[in-house]
Structures are given as C-alpha cells and as structure tokens.
Amino acid sequence: MSNIREVARRSGVSVATVSRALKDPQMVSPRTRERVLKAVEEAGYRPNLLARNFSSGKSYAVMVLVPNIANPFFSRVIRGIEKAAQDQGYSVLLGDTKGDSSNEQFYAGMALTNQADGVIQLGSRYPFAEKDANLAASVPLVNACERIVEDDRYPVVELDNHGAAQEVARHLMKMGHRRIGVITGPSQSPIVRDRLSGFSEALKKRGLELDPEMVVHGEFTMTSGQKGAETLLSTHHRPTAIFCMNDEMAIGAVHQVKRMGLRVPEDVSVTGFDNIEFSQFTDPPLTTINQPAEELGRYAMETLRLIIDGKPLKSSRTILPFELVERESTGPCSYK
Amino acid sequence: MSNIREVARRSGVSVATVSRALKDPQMVSPRTRERVLKAVEEAGYRPNLLARNFSSGKSYAVMVLVPNIANPFFSRVIRGIEKAAQDQGYSVLLGDTKGDSSNEQFYAGMALTNQADGVIQLGSRYPFAEKDANLAASVPLVNACERIVEDDRYPVVELDNHGAAQEVARHLMKMGHRRIGVITGPSQSPIVRDRLSGFSEALKKRGLELDPEMVVHGEFTMTSGQKGAETLLSTHHRPTAIFCMNDEMAIGAVHQVKRMGLRVPEDVSVTGFDNIEFSQFTDPPLTTINQPAEELGRYAMETLRLIIDGKPLKSSRTILPFELVERESTGPCSYK
DNA sequence: GTGAAAGCGCTAACAT
DNA sequence: ATGTTAGCGCTTTCAC
C-alpha cells in the first residue's frame, strides 16, 4: 500500500502539496495538480482514511441503534439514514440492540472512543450507561421514530402518533364499531402512550370510553399480536375491531382471528400501523397508517449532521405526516 | 476529551505505562496499575480508538454488502454477522446496495481506503470496480448466501441450494404433482442456477421434464412473485404447484392464486424458500426451506476474520444444511 | 504556489 | 517494571 510520501516522491513535490492537490485542487497550480494525479495513478495510491480521520479528529461514521433489524419498518428507516449519510460523506455503523440496554450501551459507547461522531437512536431509551452520562453529554445524539423517555434534551424526528391513532379510531367508528380492542407495544414506550392517548381521545369525542379490558400489551411481534388477539377475542364481550400498533402484530392478529373461525373484516376488523410492504399481501390486505420511513431516517441523519457540525437546529422536534391507507381488513360493523 | 498524556501526568507515570496498564494489565506492577486506573477514572479518560486503529493500521471494521436490507432473510444473516463481529472486537459497516453495482463499488471501495479491514458480500457480484482489482486483490473478502459469479477465488458460505431444491421437488412429487411451475430469481444468480438444476434433476429422476413454459423469472420481491404466478396460471396447461425461490415471492404468489379464485393448496400448492418469520403467518402458512441465516452470517464473519489475520482456512467453501418445513401451503394434487 | 515541520493519540521497540 | 522515543499517514500552520 503506497502512501502520500510515495506520491510526493514520484511527482517531485512535497507531501503537503500532494495533500492539497487531492483535497483542495484549486490550491495548487494546474501543472502540479496534473503531475500529482499522474503519480497517484501510477502508484495506485489511495489515501488512508484512517489516518485522515485520525488527523481531523473525526471518524465520519454514525452509529445507528436499531431495536430490531428484522422489522421491515426499521429497515426502511435505515435506508433513509444510509442514503443521507452517503450524501454527506458519512458511513453507517450498525448496532442491532434487540431492545437490550446493555447492547445499547455497548454500541453507543463507541461514540465515546471516537469510533462514531454521533448516534441515532431508533429506540426509546437513553442509550448511554448512566456512569458515562458526563462524557456522553457531548456526543451528538438524535432520536428517531421513538422518543427518549423522560428526556427532551435530544432532538427527535417522529410521526404525529397521537393524530394517527385518532385517525384510526375515527375510521373504525365511522364504520360503526363501538367496541374496539387495542394491541399496544411495550407500555413504557412513548409512542405507545401517544397512540393510546390519541385513540382514546378520539373515542371520547364520540362519547365512547376505552374499556381497560380492551387494551392488551404486545411486543411489536407477530406472535404477540396473535396472543393479543386471542386474549381480546376471548373476553365475554368481544371487540368488533382491533387496532394493532404495528403491522406485524396486525398480521398475527388476523391470523388468530381466522384460527378462531371468525372472518376479517366481516366479524372483526383489524388495523395495523407502519405500512410495511407485507401489509399489502396479507389476506385481506391491511388497513394501516403509512409512515414515511425513509424520510424519518433522512431527517434524522440530517439533523445529526447539523449537531455534529455545531450548526443551529431549526427545531428540536420534527413531526412528519402520516396517512391512513384503507384496505380490506376493515369493514362495517355487523354486530347488532 | 482527555488523552493518554493527561492520564500519564495525573498518575505520575509515562504514557507507555498507561498504555500498557490498559492493554496489558499484567505487564505493570499492581501499584502502578491501580494508580493509572484511578487517574483514568478521575480524568474520565477513554482511549481514542481512532488513534489506536490508525496506529495499528487496522480499522477493526467490516463492510457488509447487502442486496436488500428490507429482506428479513438478510436481516437475520446480518444479525449473525454482527454477533460474531462483536465477539471479535469488530464493528459492522452497513452497505445496502440494492443490488446496484455502483453502490457495491462505492461501499467495497471503503476497504481500499482503510475504512474497513474486509468485506462480506451477500450478493453475487465481484464487488470492486474492475480498475481497482489490483488493489482489491489484497482485501479480505468473503461471499455468503450467494456465490460470486465465475470466481472461486473467494471463500463462500452457503446453503446446499441444489439439494434443497431437490427436496422441494421430491416433496411436491410425493404429493402427486407432475406439472410444477417455478418462480426463480434473476437468471444470472448462481443460487438460482443451483436451485433450478437441483429441481429439474429431481424431476428427471422421476421421469419428468421441466417445461420451459413453467419457469418464470422473478426478482425476489412479492410483486414479482405475484406477477410470476399470474403468468404461470394463465398458461394453457396450468401448474398444480408452484416452487418459489424465496418466501416473499411465495407470498406474492399465494396472493395471486387467491385473486384468481383458486385455493391454496387445494387447487395450487405453493412453496417458498428461506423460512422468514412471515412465512408462518400467511394464509395458509408456507411450506418452505429453512436456511440457518444467523449461522450463515456467523460463519461468514469468522471466515473473514481468519483471512484478515492471515490464518489458514480449513475450506474455502462452507455448506450449511437446510431443512424442509412442511406447512399448509402444499397438499395433494387434485388434478385428474 | 509550495515546502518544512509540528502534531493528532496511540503503540511498540529499545533502553534502562 | 518503567521511561524514552520514533513512527503510523495525514492535515495544517507558518515561512518563503
């Protein structure tokens, strides 16, 4: 592997000039530039970015903490992050945390040893170990999709979860549903709270109360959606519709509804959230909320970049718009 | 951010001793060690790994090229890679290539500038630009899941695709199917060729010929699976079973079979490949081939590590076992 | 426009 | 067991 000195030697200039010719071409004369580039070619030279980064004190990498990389919604967010990162000359380090705080601390900790210039947390936890909080205070951190619990020090890029859940409620009520079950995510998650409050608020506006028996907690997995549906449908007074807080759980719920000999949507309507691609191919296709996943990622990366560069943020909270996608998993309430 | 000199000053020893106390504790006396650790604590010191890596000439990062990060099968492979990487002190750089060769070249190129110590290619292409081939020759590269076309210079970790496709064929023939359609992936892909040859070989053994009209090419997406099924089912003599080369296409195919008023499996059996989690929740659940995805990833990372460290490989080709998972999307042939 | 040289933070060879 | 120092490859002042 040839280095900058080798190129300097070959082109008969100093290393400084080579450095300039490559990073700031108009700083050197056309003739030298040409000679340098020729030497670069001949030597098969590639700058050692490890050295460059070390020298500049930056890694030009961002650490992305993702609760579950197998969730297609997060995949799309990551796509958005990556695209934006590439545009900005940054690389993406992947940290699949499985929602585990020790994993989060491990990966986020890499920003403390200069392996990443910033962190994008897609989960809802403050990702650093408490004992590292002092050091971590200076690490650029952006929170996307979720919102870090009890902490508004960090910019967040998220959906109008409250509004989206309201929209779902309105959609179901418009179809005549009055007893609606909800399969949430983990109860401590801020988005779960937002969606739950939006949902019950919309119900209240129409004089309906959210029966606690109609709220079960899932874990954003298909299995938990299936179990949740089983619980809801085994109640004495079963719901005619189920609002699932993500598409995976909705897929599990639809599965269970059918297993219990009921039809979707004739007997039970089911809604999802996220609009992952699979939601179009279930039977029936899911009514769901579309999240602009790639944009969430892009905004998160762009925001992080501003922080890294010490530039001012227009706002510490970016809310992206949702969209209700009506498909065939919801229909008129046939009960009574 | 305090550095090693600061710690040296605080503990009254030299930087070398601090370095040793941290990297090789038993090289310094217990008393000094203690003093150093105390100083580290007080100073809130974290080693600058950018500097350490630069100094050692290694990035301790691997670049993973993935054709489509939204494909849950690849997600699981990445999980396996990441786990193994973490165990070995490596970080994972993500390169979502979308199957695009310019993306592959961009991301793989990061290994040429010392930003990654090696590359894991999950796609089937030689990832470097031809003009970089000379430089790239020294970059550790492992191919997983797919096999790099026309090039056996690189170790590969893959499934027995030929055998798995045979197994699918045998399963369908056992159920009485004699006219079977196939929805493949891109025709240049080696795994597609392997599976196709295994499939037709098994057919031949039972005196059946694979009708070219029964082979359509998909792109490993649900939409292409849907289209493929439409094509196959619109033929004059339609198949009673369809072998899809991944689960997404099978999901699309099932969707289309139903849309055409046919039943799965009563009228048409459908099989998938990969055993992604969604395959359990389709209606009906998919008969498919289980791939040990995480293990594929783990082996790939371990193999790459051996190459990086210049250690000998036991074999340049690791074949992992498959398993046929029988679910309800396949059933006895009812035709004639 | 170009060169000389310091310095980024760490490791490791060498000296003691 | 510990200190001194060169050096990793690059960027960036500071002179000229």
Side-chain angles (χ1 to χ4, degrees):
Chain A
M1 202 68 178
S2 67
N3 59 21
I4 200 171
R5 270 200 317 281
E6 162 80 2
V7 175
R9 200 184 52 68
R10 281 176 185 259
S11 50
V13 298
S14 70
V15 294
T17 301
V18 174
S19 177
R20 288 190 274 253
L22 295 175
K23 279 203 66 170
D24 232 334
Q26 74 276 29
M27 268 187 78
V28 306
S29 80
R31 277 204 21 241
T32 352
R33 181 161 61 235
E34 209 173 312
R35 275 210 317 231
V36 169
L37 292 181
K38 186 156 159 283
V40 164
E41 194 63 34
E42 289 172 3
Y45 170 74
R46 293 303 158 95
N48 180 337
L49 262 51
L50 225 49
R52 175 180 294 181
N53 291 346
F54 163 59
S55 181
S56 70
K58 298 188 23 172
S59 66
Y60 290 97
V62 298
M63 170 56 68
V64 178
L65 304 178
V66 42
N68 177 10
I69 200 197
N71 180 323
F73 168 66
F74 286 127
S75 306
R76 274 163 57 212
V77 176
I78 291 176
R79 276 228 166 126
I81 291 174
E82 225 193 283
K83 253 182 220 168
Q86 192 174 353
D87 289 345
Q88 313 196 357
Y90 274 72
S91 53
V92 171
L93 286 163
L94 187 65
D96 183 18
T97 65
K98 297 164 201 70
D100 188 300
S101 78
S102 65
N103 283 325
E104 288 177 337
Q105 292 175 11
F106 173 83
Y107 286 118
M110 291 176 61
L112 300 174
T113 52
N114 296 55
Q115 295 183 92
D117 294 341
V119 175
I120 296 179
Q121 161 70 304
L122 301 184
S124 63
R125 223 184 323 235
Y126 174 73
F128 296 97
E130 269 313 319
K131 65 174 180 55
D132 294 339
N134 274 335
L135 291 166
S138 61
V139 175
L141 170 61
V142 169
N143 193 210
C145 306
E146 285 266 4
R147 189 151 29 83
I148 293 180
V149 192
E150 317 281 348
D151 202 327
D152 51 0
R153 279 176 301 177
Y154 301 101
V156 56
V157 180
E158 62 180 344
L159 199 78
D160 176 8
N161 285 293
H162 186 90
Q166 282 188 309
E167 186 80 12
V168 171
R170 280 195 293 264
H171 169 72
L172 291 172
M173 289 187 294
K174 200 165 59 190
M175 297 221 154
H177 298 279
R178 303 187 56 81
R179 186 159 178 82
I180 308 175
V182 182
I183 305 179
T184 74
S187 56
Q188 69 278 17
S189 154
I191 60 171
V192 166
R193 294 190 202 174
D194 288 351
R195 292 176 190 174
L196 209 48
S197 78
F199 194 79
S200 70
E201 191 177 310
L203 255 51
K204 274 210 189 82
K205 277 186 191 155
R206 306 273 179 107
L208 294 177
E209 200 67 45
L210 188 54
D211 181 349
E213 199 191 19
M214 286 290 100
V215 179
V216 300
H217 289 286
E219 291 161 336
F220 290 137
T221 62
M222 291 181 277
T223 308
S224 69
Q226 177 172 359
K227 280 195 195 126
E230 187 177 15
T231 305
L232 289 171
L233 295 174
S234 304
T235 53
H236 188 252
H237 184 186
R238 71 165 172 81
T240 63
I242 300 176
F243 164 39
C244 303
M245 290 201 184
N246 82 348
D247 287 341
E248 273 95 329
M249 294 195 300
I251 288 170
V254 167
H255 193 74
Q256 182 61 22
V257 170
K258 292 175 174 178
R259 276 181 58 155
M260 293 173 82
L262 298 168
R263 293 161 304 165
V264 178
E266 292 83 352
D267 300 310
V268 183
S269 285
V270 176
T271 67
F273 207 107
D274 290 350
N275 192 24
I276 62 174
E277 213 184 337
F278 289 97
S279 71
Q280 300 169 47
F281 288 88
T282 54
D283 181 13
L286 290 179
T287 291
T288 190
I289 292 287
N290 183 61
Q291 292 210 53
E294 292 210 7
E295 285 199 284
L296 279 164
R298 190 160 51 77
Y299 274 97
M301 181 62 215
E302 284 169 0
T303 305
L304 186 65
R305 183 70 199 288
L306 289 175
I307 303 176
I308 290 174
D309 291 351
K311 292 187 184 146
L313 263 46
K314 283 151 218 147
S315 157
S316 75
R317 188 138 180 242
T318 307
I319 311 272
L320 266 55
F322 61 84
E323 187 191 0
L324 178 71
V325 182
E326 293 188 39
R327 299 205 186 96
E328 290 93 74
S329 69
T330 50
C333 178
S334 58
Y335 183 72
K336 276 178 191 168
Chain B
M1 202 67 179
S2 66
N3 59 23
I4 200 171
R5 270 201 315 282
E6 163 80 3
V7 175
R9 199 184 53 69
R10 282 179 185 256
S11 49
V13 299
S14 71
V15 293
T17 302
V18 174
S19 177
R20 287 190 276 253
L22 294 177
K23 279 201 67 169
D24 233 333
Q26 75 276 31
M27 268 187 79
V28 306
S29 80
R31 278 204 19 242
T32 353
R33 183 162 60 234
E34 209 173 311
R35 274 211 315 233
V36 169
L37 293 182
K38 186 156 158 283
V40 163
E41 194 64 36
E42 290 172 3
Y45 169 75
R46 293 303 160 96
N48 180 338
L49 261 51
L50 224 49
R52 176 181 293 179
N53 292 348
F54 162 60
S55 182
S56 71
K58 296 186 28 168
S59 66
Y60 290 98
V62 298
M63 170 57 67
V64 178
L65 304 178
V66 44
N68 177 11
I69 200 198
N71 180 322
F73 168 66
F74 286 127
S75 306
R76 273 165 55 212
V77 177
I78 291 176
R79 275 227 167 129
I81 292 174
E82 225 193 284
K83 253 183 221 167
Q86 191 174 353
D87 289 346
Q88 312 195 359
Y90 274 72
S91 54
V92 172
L93 285 163
L94 186 66
D96 183 19
T97 66
K98 297 164 201 73
D100 188 300
S101 76
S102 65
N103 284 324
E104 289 177 337
Q105 292 175 10
F106 173 84
Y107 286 118
M110 291 176 60
L112 300 175
T113 52
N114 297 57
Q115 295 181 93
D117 294 341
V119 175
I120 296 179
Q121 161 70 304
L122 302 184
S124 62
R125 222 183 324 233
Y126 174 72
F128 295 97
E130 270 313 321
K131 65 176 179 56
D132 294 337
N134 274 335
L135 292 166
S138 61
V139 175
L141 171 61
V142 169
N143 193 211
C145 306
E146 285 266 2
R147 189 152 30 82
I148 292 180
V149 192
E150 315 282 349
D151 203 327
D152 50 2
R153 280 175 300 177
Y154 302 101
V156 56
V157 180
E158 61 180 346
L159 199 79
D160 175 7
N161 285 293
H162 186 89
Q166 282 188 310
E167 185 81 11
V168 171
R170 280 195 293 263
H171 169 72
L172 291 172
M173 289 186 296
K174 201 167 58 191
M175 296 222 156
H177 297 279
R178 302 187 57 81
R179 185 158 179 84
I180 308 176
V182 183
I183 305 180
T184 74
S187 56
Q188 69 277 18
S189 154
I191 60 171
V192 166
R193 294 190 200 173
D194 289 352
R195 293 177 191 174
L196 208 49
S197 78
F199 194 79
S200 71
E201 191 176 308
L203 254 52
K204 275 211 190 82
K205 278 185 191 155
R206 307 274 177 104
L208 293 178
E209 199 68 42
L210 187 55
D211 181 350
E213 199 190 19
M214 285 291 100
V215 178
V216 300
H217 288 286
E219 291 161 337
F220 290 136
T221 61
M222 292 181 277
T223 308
S224 69
Q226 177 171 358
K227 280 195 194 127
E230 186 177 14
T231 305
L232 290 171
L233 296 174
S234 305
T235 54
H236 187 250
H237 184 187
R238 70 165 173 80
T240 63
I242 300 176
F243 165 38
C244 303
M245 290 202 184
N246 81 348
D247 287 340
E248 272 96 329
M249 294 196 299
I251 288 170
V254 167
H255 192 74
Q256 182 62 22
V257 170
K258 292 176 175 179
R259 275 181 59 155
M260 293 173 81
L262 298 166
R263 293 160 305 165
V264 178
E266 292 83 353
D267 300 310
V268 184
S269 286
V270 176
T271 67
F273 207 108
D274 290 350
N275 193 25
I276 62 174
E277 214 185 336
F278 289 96
S279 71
Q280 302 169 44
F281 288 88
T282 53
D283 181 12
L286 290 177
T287 291
T288 190
I289 292 288
N290 182 61
Q291 292 209 53
E294 292 210 8
E295 285 199 284
L296 280 163
R298 189 162 52 76
Y299 274 98
M301 181 62 215
E302 283 168 1
T303 306
L304 186 64
R305 182 70 198 290
L306 289 175
I307 304 176
I308 290 174
D309 291 350
K311 292 185 185 148
L313 263 47
K314 283 151 218 147
S315 158
S316 75
R317 187 137 181 240
T318 307
I319 311 270
L320 266 55
F322 62 85
E323 187 192 358
L324 178 71
V325 182
E326 293 189 40
R327 299 206 186 93
E328 291 93 75
S329 69
T330 50
C333 177
S334 58
Y335 182 73
K336 275 178 190 169

